[in-house]
Amino acid sequence: MSGERGDGYRRGRQVERDATSEPVNSVYRRLLLLIWGLGAVIVLAVPAFGVGWPGIFTVIGVMHIFFSGLIWADIRALRRQGVEWGFSRHLWFSAALVFPLVTLAYYWYVGRVVTRENERRSDDVDSSTADE
């Protein structure tokens, strides 16, 4: 189905995707890296205050909940910009709750997704201007 109806108007997700040629920007990507670094420093500094293992696990638990929230918000912001995620968005969110290095992997992965989407959009704009 081409997205065009009998009344001449085009509808659907494909039309919305075609209409957006602005570059994609990951809103929380840099913030994730900064907070991960600060969290690592805090985890290393907590034993100096004599808190021990419960304090370390508390910091790690709070960090994971916070990271999963930021990853959820970032995925949502990227989807609003027209980036399709599919089911993997649920996996990224869930894994951020459990695994400590998922945030760094997400940072790397989203950088690739944003770059790929921006290249695709610039190619689409270039090809549409060449057709005219």
Side-chain angles (χ1 to χ4, degrees), residues 2-114:
S2 66
E4 190 167 323
R5 304 289 174 156
D7 57 4
Y9 290 103
R10 295 178 66 209
R11 296 179 178 88
R13 287 186 181 256
Q14 185 65 37
V15 175
E16 292 171 4
R17 231 179 287 129
D18 291 343
T20 59
S21 61
E22 296 179 12
V24 175
N25 186 17
S26 177
V27 180
Y28 300 103
R29 183 172 178 253
R30 291 183 198 99
L31 187 62
L32 281 169
L33 189 61
L34 175 72
I35 293 173
W36 197 91
L38 288 173
V41 169
I42 290 171
V43 164
L44 294 174
V46 164
F49 295 107
V51 178
W53 288 106
I56 292 172
F57 289 131
T58 301
V59 169
I60 291 172
V62 169
M63 282 175 42
H64 285 303
I65 292 169
F66 190 69
F67 287 143
S68 63
L70 282 175
I71 287 174
W72 175 79
D74 193 49
I75 290 171
R76 204 168 158 197
L78 287 170
R79 289 186 72 205
R80 278 191 213 124
Q81 296 176 46
V83 177
E84 288 296 324
W85 278 80
F87 186 74
S88 70
R89 69 181 188 271
H90 300 294
L91 297 176
W92 282 112
F93 171 74
S94 302
L97 281 171
V98 180
F99 302 113
L101 297 177
V102 167
T103 303
L104 297 176
Y106 176 81
Y107 177 84
W108 175 75
Y109 178 73
V110 165
R112 293 183 63 214
V113 167
V114 168

